[in-house]
Amino acid sequence: MTAVVLALLFAGAAAVASSGGGAPEGARTPAADSADAGFARDMSVHHQQAVEMSFIVRDRTKDADVRRLAYDIANTQANQRGMMLGWLERWGLPKVAPDQQPMAWMGMPGQGDGHGGDGHGAKAPLMPGMATEEQLAELGSASGRDAEVLYLRLMTAHHQGGVHMAEGCVERCGDEVQRKLAQGMVDAQESEIALMADLLRQRGAKD
């Protein structure tokens, strides 16, 4: 992961955590194994990979549309990641829970080994839509149209998985602010999925 990606991720986390992450005063603290905590932890890792992929493609293409989309995704998801990590800090809950499988809060832990896990490089079951290490390496070695198409396909799958997770929070999370953020993720990512389908068609590729 590049220094620029790390800087953006940590800046977003620090800025929102310092303000309490937008969590409401007096709200009941979620349990460590709650949907609220599980969503915040898992989606933080999920968002981290979206930021990483977006910065990879930024350096692999000169296409203005793809670079603009990648910047928007990286900026939005880094800020949302900071918000979720800020909530965990304010709730006094761990940002990493090695004893809990990813997606257990949705009743669907594990989808094979890959790039998921604790967000620090450890392999663990993949969450929905996440790219494998091999796919990230392929993206990093591609360029031009090939990089654009691969990024758009990987990010489409990533967003589809993210929408599934966010819908799970809308249904299961107890914190109203977090449910609103999750619904905002659903709306924004579904819109970007449609945009990416258009960009793929413009490149003569299927989504």
Side-chain angles (χ1 to χ4, degrees):
M1 189 178 301
T2 68
V4 175
V5 178
L6 287 171
L8 182 55
L9 288 169
F10 288 128
V16 184
S18 64
S19 65
E25 292 288 350
R28 183 174 60 85
T29 299
D33 61 351
S34 65
D36 299 77
F39 173 75
R41 281 192 293 262
D42 286 352
M43 191 60 91
S44 293
V45 175
H46 207 266
H47 274 22
Q48 178 177 322
Q49 190 185 74
V51 174
E52 182 180 357
M53 288 196 295
S54 295
F55 273 94
I56 291 173
V57 81
R58 184 201 65 170
D59 297 332
R60 308 303 300 170
T61 180
K62 297 183 183 299
D63 184 86
D65 291 334
V66 173
R67 285 171 62 91
R68 185 181 305 109
L69 172 67
Y71 175 81
D72 288 345
I73 290 174
N75 190 55
T76 298
Q77 298 209 11
N79 285 329
Q80 290 175 345
R81 180 178 183 272
M83 185 176 294
M84 291 181 287
L85 292 176
W87 288 339
L88 288 168
E89 182 171 334
R90 185 164 183 172
W91 292 333
L93 299 177
K95 299 179 179 67
V96 177
D99 59 329
Q100 294 182 22
Q101 289 279 3
M103 303 304 298
W105 60 277
M106 278 189 70
M108 51 172 292
Q111 295 185 29
D113 290 337
H115 191 77
D118 64 3
H120 300 284
K123 286 190 177 182
L126 285 171
M127 286 177 282
M130 286 190 74
T132 63
E133 292 177 349
E134 293 75 17
Q135 288 171 324
L136 293 177
E138 183 181 0
L139 179 62
S141 64
S143 62
R145 178 188 175 280
D146 290 343
E148 295 160 19
V149 170
L150 181 56
Y151 171 76
L152 292 168
R153 285 174 171 163
L154 290 176
M155 191 58 74
T156 295
H158 202 272
H159 271 18
Q160 289 169 340
V163 167
H164 176 62
M165 292 169 67
E167 288 175 337
C169 179
V170 172
E171 295 174 359
R172 294 171 174 82
C173 289
D175 185 90
E176 182 180 359
V177 175
Q178 192 167 14
R179 289 199 306 271
K180 288 181 178 179
L181 175 68
Q183 185 59 57
M185 290 178 186
V186 172
D187 297 339
Q189 292 190 29
E190 286 183 339
S191 176
E192 286 174 344
I193 288 171
L195 171 61
M196 289 188 286
D198 287 340
L199 292 173
L200 281 167
R201 283 193 289 270
Q202 290 171 18
R203 287 155 181 77
K206 295 181 179 180
D207 53 6

